[in-house]
Amino acid sequence: MQTENSINDDYGPRRLTVELANICNLHCSYCFRAEDNLYSSHAEFFPLELLRRVVNEAQTTANITMVGFTGGEPTLHPFFAETLQAIGDAGLKVSFVTNGWHFDRVWPAIQANRASVSHVAFSLDGVTRETHDRWRGKGSFDRLVRAFSRCYMSKLPFTIKIVIRRDLVDQLEQVAIFAARMGAASLHFGHVMPTSNGVADDSALSLDEQRVAEEEIAILARIFKMKIGIDVGYYNIDERRPPCAPLAATNMNIDFRGRLSLCCNLSGFRGSAADELDVVADLNVESFASAYARFMEVAAAQLENRKTALAAFRSQATTPDLYTGSPCLFCLQSFGKIPWHSKSI
Amino acid sequence: MSSSNLTPGKHVVVTDFDGGEGILVDLNTKRYYQLNETAMAVWKGLAQGKTTGEIAADLTSNYEVALDKASLSVQRIVDNFQTYKLVSAE
């Protein structure tokens, strides 16, 4: 059967992803960030001075043109306005991903730095109060809609990000219609990053279900004017080019502790083994330049690891399983982020 | 005209903007409605349970406008709210 695939082969601008805060105000059960960081340990916020230094060095060393803030919830950073300003002062564009809960509070900071804020990415869990708030708590949906309203009226482009849980897989078209009607510039789907057998069984899709969902998203991408794609977890065994921005070494993650690591989806992964093989360097004590050289080595080595894994399937004339065919799941497994899965196979 | 039992629909999300303007989102139709300062004042008045007459009187207190003109404006705005099913009778 001839099908369409929905893989986005555009790596986007060369950029840093910076975790501004370890904490989050919401408790989404499928979140892949370590619970200790989110809720139990004390709040840690990315230091402003470190941010300024690293961004400067990354401009020179890695030619970045953009910084994306993530977390935790980045708007909880006590100097959020200053973090936006720091990126603007460097002459770069900045975006951030948020649950929207505190958007009213940070709106003046966004307006003050409007020239450098390229867009905002909002996390959505459903297209109604009931479906969204079921995951994110009462009042979340209305706050999110108010945030959309502010962006829409102020012509600030915004993106909607939504995880394709099993309960949502039949509503992809409704999600696209909702995003389009809200005026989103783009819609980014992502597969569930499983943190336990329970989450994998309850919420994540099987390989066949993923394939159907990705075909549907490809069709939606063709129908809608709004840009639609899949950011996370997609199945991609095309070896002609790196499957994602981190492995193409065009997107570098820095965690809330100031450590350079391979990918924001691996960073502080819930339930992972103690070894953090994806962490490349502590930028508190090392320059970005020397760390970046090692970052590229780690990315290149991981790319080779995956080629070897894919070749093993090819030699047996079998289709790669989900945990090899999906670059995200392959990295989770090979970097020891999902020990429960390794034990179960 | 002086009485009203209309209230903002529960399916409508309102956002205040600087300068008194606002925007409504109808969650049923997923449509935006941009409100100018006067329309926003009417919306807020309805949310506070005021009658159209009371809202018109408020407008004359806050703006240089005669009561008859304010009343006409309020009624026109309320009619629009009703047309688009943004308000409902209690």
Side-chain angles (χ1 to χ4, degrees):
Chain A
M1 182 172 67
Q2 187 72 28
T3 59
E4 300 175 68
N5 82 56
S6 53
I7 307 306
N8 184 359
D9 59 3
D10 175 11
Y11 300 133
R14 296 182 67 83
R15 62 198 181 277
L16 288 183
T17 299
V18 178
E19 296 173 17
L20 278 191
N22 62 328
I23 56 170
C24 184
N25 54 304
L26 301 185
H27 291 63
C28 307
S29 58
Y30 64 83
C31 180
F32 57 74
R33 292 279 189 247
E35 286 180 292
D36 275 357
N37 292 340
L38 289 171
Y39 313 122
S40 301
S41 63
H42 66 283
E44 290 188 49
F45 303 108
F46 202 95
L48 261 179
E49 275 316 302
L50 181 62
L51 179 67
R52 292 192 180 102
R53 172 171 72 77
V54 166
V55 166
N56 260 320
E57 292 175 358
Q59 271 183 288
T60 308
T61 309
N63 296 318
I64 62 159
T65 59
M66 183 159 191
V67 176
F69 290 145
T70 181
E73 170 55 42
T75 61
L76 294 177
H77 195 292
F79 299 106
F80 184 69
E82 287 82 352
T83 65
L84 295 178
Q85 189 180 345
I87 308 307
D89 289 347
L92 302 181
K93 293 292 183 186
V94 59
S95 67
F96 61 96
V97 60
T98 177
N99 57 44
W101 187 273
H102 291 287
F103 201 73
D104 279 355
R105 181 174 54 74
V106 299
W107 180 243
I110 295 165
Q111 286 181 301
N113 294 281
R114 181 63 189 84
S116 52
V117 178
S118 63
H119 67 281
V120 181
F122 294 106
S123 302
L124 179 76
D125 265 320
V127 300
T128 65
R129 279 176 177 143
E130 293 72 25
T131 53
H132 181 83
D133 288 358
R134 181 183 150 216
W135 294 90
R136 292 180 177 261
K138 192 176 179 189
S140 283
F141 188 75
D142 281 19
R143 285 173 183 256
L144 200 55
V145 169
R146 284 194 193 97
F148 296 159
S149 301
R150 292 201 180 282
C151 293
Y152 178 79
M153 195 152 163
S154 305
K155 297 184 169 51
L156 172 61
F158 67 95
T159 289
I160 290 177
K161 297 169 93 74
I162 188 161
V163 173
I164 315 168
R165 298 178 316 270
R166 179 163 285 125
D167 63 292
L168 201 95
V169 73
D170 293 330
Q171 300 167 39
L172 301 181
E173 183 178 292
Q174 289 97 309
V175 170
I177 291 170
F178 175 76
R181 294 200 74 118
M182 289 294 98
S186 56
L187 171 62
H188 297 265
F189 289 98
H191 290 296
V192 171
M193 294 286 93
T195 54
S196 67
N197 277 321
V199 170
D201 293 344
D202 293 343
S203 298
L205 307 184
S206 68
L207 178 56
D208 286 342
E209 290 169 329
Q210 247 193 252
R211 186 176 298 127
V212 172
E214 290 176 13
E215 288 165 6
E216 175 64 13
I217 290 166
I219 291 167
L220 295 173
R222 200 160 37 76
I223 294 170
F224 283 80
K225 285 183 180 174
M226 169 184 67
K227 188 178 176 188
I228 298 178
I230 307 182
D231 279 351
V232 177
Y234 47 79
Y235 191 88
N236 180 7
I237 56 173
D238 182 350
E239 295 181 65
R240 288 171 296 181
R241 57 202 304 273
C244 58
L247 292 184
T250 63
N251 183 4
M252 297 129 259
N253 185 67
I254 305 176
D255 69 15
F256 63 89
R257 296 187 173 101
R259 302 180 306 172
L260 180 65
S261 71
L262 186 61
C263 173
C264 63
N265 290 326
L266 301 173
S267 183
F269 200 82
R270 187 174 294 189
S272 63
D275 294 340
E276 295 181 292
L277 302 173
D278 54 310
V279 174
V280 173
D282 183 352
L283 297 174
N284 292 285
V285 295
E286 184 175 349
S287 74
F288 184 87
S290 63
Y292 182 57
R294 288 212 305 287
F295 176 92
M296 288 194 292
E297 288 171 10
V298 170
Q302 182 63 358
L303 213 47
E304 281 307 310
N305 289 341
R306 186 154 182 273
K307 281 183 179 174
T308 302
L310 290 172
F313 280 92
R314 208 168 39 243
S315 69
Q316 295 170 15
T318 54
T319 304
D321 65 2
L322 185 54
Y323 282 77
T324 307
S326 161
C328 295
L329 295 178
F330 179 78
C331 279
L332 286 178
Q333 184 157 265
S334 53
F335 281 110
K337 303 293 179 180
I338 47 175
W340 50 269
H341 182 259
S342 306
K343 284 175 192 159
S344 67
I345 56 176
Chain B
M1 166 68 199
S2 63
S3 64
S4 167
N5 58 356
L6 295 172
T7 56
K10 288 185 170 64
H11 61 289
V12 180
V13 176
V14 60
T15 306
D16 281 308
F17 279 82
D18 294 340
E21 295 182 343
I23 197 159
L24 306 180
V25 179
D26 181 335
L27 296 181
N28 292 337
T29 62
K30 314 291 192 289
R31 278 186 69 171
Y32 285 108
Y33 297 91
Q34 193 170 335
L35 304 189
N36 63 20
E37 203 174 335
T38 307
M40 198 60 185
V42 174
W43 184 266
K44 286 179 176 175
L46 293 176
Q48 291 164 5
K50 292 181 178 176
T51 65
T52 52
E54 289 168 334
I55 295 169
D58 285 349
L59 288 178
T60 62
S61 303
N62 297 325
Y63 303 93
E64 286 188 21
V65 59
L67 182 60
D68 57 339
K69 280 196 170 180
S71 298
L72 275 173
S73 290
V74 170
Q75 194 55 53
R76 196 175 63 246
I77 291 165
V78 168
D79 287 347
N80 273 328
F81 288 158
Q82 288 185 291
T83 299
Y84 290 104
K85 298 185 172 67
L86 299 170
V87 291
S88 53
E90 270 190 329

